[in-house]
Amino acid sequence: MKHVLVIRLSALGDVALMAPIVRAYADANPDIRFTVAGPPMLVPLFAGMPNVDYLGLKKKQSFVKIYRALNAVGADTVVDLHKVNRVGFAIVLLRLRHLLNPHYRIFALHKGKVSRWLFLHHWRRTPRKRQYERYDDVFRRAGLKRGELSGVCGERPTSVRIGVAPFAQHVGKIWSLERTEALVRMLGERGHEVVLFGSKDEAPVLERWARHYKGVTSVAGRMPFAEELEIIRGLALMVSMDSANMHFASAVGVPVVSIWGATHPDFGFYGYGQDRANALCANLPCQPCSAYGNKPCRYGDHRCLRAISPEVVLEKIETFIGGAQ
């Protein structure tokens, strides 16, 4: 084994979950070259790994284009951490291309669909295996040795800068903006420095909050991801939904207080290295109602999110910061 190709083209949070695992294996195998194929935006998450290259690929390309890009890498081992149809078709072509090469090997992710279905339909409520552990399993099956895992929350900066990321891809995972705004206001009134994170489209809302409340700034849509990641790295704490920002913070060792609605922190996609006690979830009988938060609320009111008040989140934040100082 001389060159390992690691594939995960989406979603952003899932790729961020992969970063500490890739680092651990790259550190333990300095004589092996790794190439990570993922979203172009996330190059900074894999920076500083001397034997890791990054191939930026967009998932919406045809599987033929994906195949050509993956084949051009010249790897002799493939670790498929995505296992979806578009990548799967490209993997089939890679198998055919190297059919007569006994040293060419492909290892794919086991998604645990049965246990996921049981959890989602409330038949089995024990915590599912975490996604980063499933990634780790694939590398182990490939015969790679693993070094010490990094990115786990350790010593925190002396500042009490708090990040707040109020948005997520689906509405079932978004705490109401009114409640998030109330939290931002209360944090500012208590003298905390607050940094707001979001996309360019979300920036107008966050910039309005920054103008209205003391000690609040917004970096939404203002800078490249590499610079934003450095700001996250300097936070004492991130407050986020079940979103990519939870995983970005986790990848650089920042503790997260996360707010959960349609999804659930025990479903397997909790932040890498995060303390489960910092996940705020109402644990209603209807939770989770969706694996990704993309289904309509059966009651039409997202009561799982309404059950979490700004005061509860503020208490969790200040308890954490007080204990860390």
Side-chain angles (χ1 to χ4, degrees), residues 44-82:
L45 282 176
F46 298 86
M49 306 181 194
N51 55 331
V52 177
D53 296 319
Y54 195 90
L55 173 65
L57 283 179
K58 295 181 179 179
K59 68 173 182 177
K60 293 186 178 180
Q61 297 179 89
S62 71
F63 74 87
V64 174
K65 288 184 178 180
I66 293 174
Y67 156 72
R68 288 174 178 167
L70 298 179
N71 187 58
V73 170
D76 53 34
T77 301
V78 176
V79 173
D80 177 12
L81 301 183
H82 205 164

Side-chain angles (χ1 to χ4, degrees), residues 25-242:
Y25 281 95
D27 287 346
N29 299 273
D31 55 330
I32 295 176
R33 196 78 202 162
F34 292 81
T35 296
V36 175
M41 166 186 168
L42 298 187
V43 174
L45 282 176
F46 298 86
M49 306 181 194
N51 55 331
V52 177
D53 296 319
Y54 195 90
L55 173 65
L57 283 179
K58 295 181 179 179
K59 68 173 182 177
K60 293 186 178 180
Q61 297 179 89
S62 71
F63 74 87
V64 174
K65 288 184 178 180
I66 293 174
Y67 156 72
R68 288 174 178 167
L70 298 179
N71 187 58
V73 170
D76 53 34
T77 301
V78 176
V79 173
D80 177 12
L81 301 183
H82 205 164
K83 203 179 179 183
V84 295
N85 288 340
R86 191 174 296 269
V87 174
F89 292 141
I91 293 291
V92 169
L93 293 180
L94 285 174
R95 286 188 185 276
L96 293 173
R97 172 72 174 77
H98 299 277
L99 190 62
L100 300 179
N101 182 355
H103 302 293
Y104 192 86
R105 302 183 300 165
I106 299 175
F107 300 88
L109 177 71
H110 291 167
K111 292 188 174 182
K113 290 184 178 180
V114 173
S115 64
R116 178 185 294 181
W117 188 92
L118 290 172
F119 191 103
L120 189 59
H121 290 83
H122 306 164
W123 283 81
R124 185 179 179 184
R125 296 307 298 267
T126 55
R128 290 185 65 245
K129 193 171 192 175
R130 293 191 179 182
Q131 186 76 345
Y132 67 82
E133 294 174 324
R134 295 188 182 278
Y135 293 163
D136 189 38
D137 288 344
V138 186
F139 282 100
R140 288 181 182 275
R141 284 192 282 113
L144 291 160
K145 59 182 179 180
R146 192 192 74 191
E148 184 179 353
L149 286 171
S150 60
V152 182
C153 305
E155 294 184 7
R156 300 305 324 131
T158 55
S159 74
V160 289
R161 227 177 179 197
I162 298 168
V164 178
F167 294 96
Q169 186 176 5
H170 300 294
V171 67
K173 299 197 288 186
I174 302 176
W175 204 33
S176 76
L177 292 183
E178 291 78 14
R179 292 181 178 226
T180 309
E181 183 176 3
L183 174 66
V184 168
R185 173 181 55 78
M186 290 189 291
L187 287 170
E189 288 172 351
R190 283 160 173 76
H192 298 299
E193 184 180 355
V194 178
V195 184
L196 304 174
F197 295 87
S199 69
K200 188 174 182 179
D201 292 338
E202 297 154 358
V205 172
L206 304 183
E207 288 172 357
R208 177 173 60 80
W209 295 357
R211 289 193 300 270
H212 287 186
Y213 302 116
K214 180 182 177 181
V216 180
T217 58
S218 171
V219 298
R222 291 187 175 184
M223 59 190 65
F225 177 62
E227 294 180 24
E228 189 172 302
L229 195 63
E230 284 306 306
I231 293 176
I232 294 174
R233 195 186 302 273
L235 297 174
L237 181 73
M238 171 71 85
V239 179
S240 81
M241 311 300 109
D242 171 18

